[in-house]
Amino acid sequence: MAEKQQLIEAIKNLDFNLLHELLDDNRSYMNVTKSLFLEALEKNILKHPKLTAYEEVIEGSCGNCFKGFNGYKFRAKNCPSLSLLFYEENGEVIDLFLCDNFITCQDHDDEYIISFSFFDDQEVDFQPTLEHMINVQNVNKAMEEFYSLVDKHNLSLKDIILWIRRHIDLIRKLKLDNFFTRNKYLAFAELKRTYFKISSIEEIYENNELAKQALADFDKIDKNDEKSVVKWLLQNQDFSTYFLEETEGWKNTGFRILSLEIDLVIDCSDCMDNFLLIDLHRTLESGLMEKYQPSDEYYEKHKRGIECTLEAHLRLHNKYLDLFE
């Protein structure tokens, strides 16, 4: 069997051991090392347990960036397809790369595909500038400082906020504060993940007085008057959990958990009103949504279901419509 055909069969059967043998250690694939390319491919395949092998292979070509390059689409029922372009020289496959706009003679517009990419600093021809190397050093120092907080007894939200303020200029300089801006470098990925986990923590301090007032307002209303409770819920629905998970007995200790590469136990006792408000709001809202959930008959008639919000459930029952005007 020709080497190219062996390669196609190995991909079809998702035989990664054979792929390691067939692909050249000295070549790059998608401009990264063979091992990194196959590691990424296997990792994305394993996200789909039902995908154990592909059932058919369809020839085609790229319809966009690499127009005219030929390759194959690997398909299996109810599983994501895999479209790979084969770059050949003198009849030898010297590169493979994913294609997000693969054209075949068959129409598969509704299918979903295996897709992944690599950071610039993972590519084999990456040449870091002096500025980049300095940025990497600064990022590493920032992360070392962050994880040194693990050893601090009674780690508080103020400690996290001070860390943010010390490093926010670096984060902004590297454009890691914008969720929708692509981070091009693996070396900066952990700092970006960390920042987005903790960036809203400062709002806890800013909103704590508002939360305290909201709890005081709740104490004043008649708890048996459902409309008053609903009105209070609607007025105080913009508080979030800030990615801080509960610990056992948190209402007494004030301890919450920040889950990153490791779990950080944080003393939030200075800002407990936020978390007490969130807990109360969630409990009351869940009870009302269960009370006013759509009937089975409604779901039978409306296959699209209904928006999972308190407002949507109440509107369905024509309850308290004046609150939504």
Side-chain angles (χ1 to χ4, degrees):
M1 185 185 296
E3 183 179 353
K4 178 180 177 180
Q5 190 57 41
Q6 283 184 303
L7 194 55
I8 293 171
E9 287 298 314
I11 297 170
K12 181 181 178 183
N13 296 321
L14 297 176
D15 187 340
F16 286 95
N17 291 328
L18 182 55
L19 283 173
H20 272 282
E21 294 179 15
L22 293 174
L23 297 182
D24 192 336
D25 289 335
N26 298 315
R27 294 192 188 281
S28 63
Y29 300 90
M30 288 183 66
N31 206 29
V32 298
T33 63
K34 180 189 86 170
S35 60
L36 184 55
F37 170 75
L38 289 177
E39 179 186 337
L41 178 58
E42 185 171 14
K43 179 181 178 181
N44 280 272
I45 293 292
L46 291 175
K47 291 178 181 178
H48 309 278
K50 293 182 180 179
L51 180 54
T52 56
Y54 283 108
E55 299 163 0
E56 61 178 330
V57 182
I58 306 167
E59 290 189 58
S61 62
C62 179
N64 194 3
C65 302
F66 299 94
K67 209 159 189 175
F69 273 45
N70 297 322
Y72 300 90
K73 174 175 285 188
F74 300 83
R75 298 189 73 245
K77 186 177 181 180
N78 298 323
C79 290
S81 63
L82 174 66
S83 299
L84 284 171
L85 300 180
F86 282 55
Y87 182 58
E88 302 179 60
E89 282 186 359
N90 301 320
E92 182 182 2
V93 178
I94 64 171
D95 203 352
L96 296 170
F97 39 100
L98 294 176
C99 181
D100 292 335
N101 189 10
F102 195 76
I103 307 299
T104 71
C105 60
Q106 301 180 29
D107 185 10
H108 302 128
D109 290 339
D110 60 337
E111 70 184 345
Y112 59 113
I113 62 175
I114 296 289
S115 182
F116 55 86
S117 61
F118 298 99
F119 293 99
D120 288 9
D121 52 350
Q122 291 179 299
E123 296 181 354
V124 293
D125 55 2
F126 176 69
Q127 295 291 330
T129 63
L130 176 60
E131 181 183 10
H132 177 78
M133 290 188 287
I134 293 172
N135 287 334
V136 170
Q137 289 180 342
N138 290 333
V139 166
N140 289 340
K141 287 178 183 178
M143 290 311 305
E144 287 173 6
E145 183 181 322
F146 183 83
Y147 284 112
S148 71
L149 296 175
V150 177
D151 300 323
K152 181 179 174 61
H153 295 295
N154 296 323
L155 175 64
S156 70
L157 290 179
K158 289 182 180 178
D159 295 317
I160 303 294
I161 291 172
L162 288 174
W163 180 88
I164 292 174
R165 291 175 179 173
R166 280 195 294 271
H167 300 288
I168 190 61
D169 288 342
L170 174 66
I171 291 167
R172 287 173 178 162
K173 172 188 173 184
L174 301 178
K175 299 180 180 179
L176 304 179
D177 58 329
N178 189 333
F179 182 80
F180 299 101
T181 299
R182 176 181 175 263
N183 166 38
K184 299 192 296 183
Y185 303 109
L186 178 62
F188 304 160
E190 187 178 10
L191 178 56
K192 183 168 186 174
R193 285 196 304 270
T194 301
Y195 176 72
F196 272 96
K197 277 278 189 175
I198 66 176
S199 59
S200 60
I201 280 179
E202 284 191 89
E203 294 179 30
I204 293 177
Y205 280 93
E206 295 172 2
N207 292 339
N208 199 60
E209 287 303 313
L210 295 176
K212 184 180 295 185
Q213 183 59 54
L215 290 172
D217 292 341
F218 182 76
D219 286 339
K220 296 174 184 177
I221 67 174
D222 180 358
K223 312 305 185 294
N224 295 316
D225 180 6
E226 187 177 80
K227 185 175 181 179
S228 295
V229 173
V230 170
K231 182 178 180 180
W232 180 86
L233 287 171
L234 295 174
Q235 290 172 337
N236 297 282
Q237 59 186 346
D238 294 331
F239 288 82
S240 67
T241 58
Y242 306 101
F243 301 103
L244 296 175
E245 301 170 10
E246 296 178 2
T247 62
E248 185 175 352
W250 67 270
K251 291 183 180 180
N252 295 319
T253 65
F255 293 149
R256 309 277 293 200
I257 293 176
L258 176 64
S259 292
L260 295 165
E261 303 296 326
I262 55 176
D263 288 344
L264 296 181
V265 179
I266 303 176
D267 183 354
C268 302
S269 55
D270 288 344
C271 298
M272 282 296 291
D273 295 297
N274 284 275
F275 302 107
L276 292 171
L277 173 61
I278 291 164
D279 183 69
L280 174 62
H281 194 283
R282 182 169 52 224
T283 300
L284 294 173
E285 186 177 54
S286 296
L288 284 167
M289 287 186 67
E290 183 176 355
K291 177 179 179 180
Y292 292 107
Q293 65 180 321
S295 63
D296 293 339
E297 292 78 9
Y298 178 89
Y299 282 122
E300 288 178 6
K301 293 179 181 178
H302 301 81
K303 301 299 183 183
R304 285 184 159 183
I306 186 174
E307 185 180 353
C308 190
T309 64
L310 177 58
E311 179 179 342
H313 284 211
L314 291 173
R315 283 185 179 277
L316 184 63
H317 290 81
N318 294 315
K319 296 288 290 186
Y320 316 128
L321 299 183
D322 57 308
L323 296 179
F324 307 120
E325 294 177 353

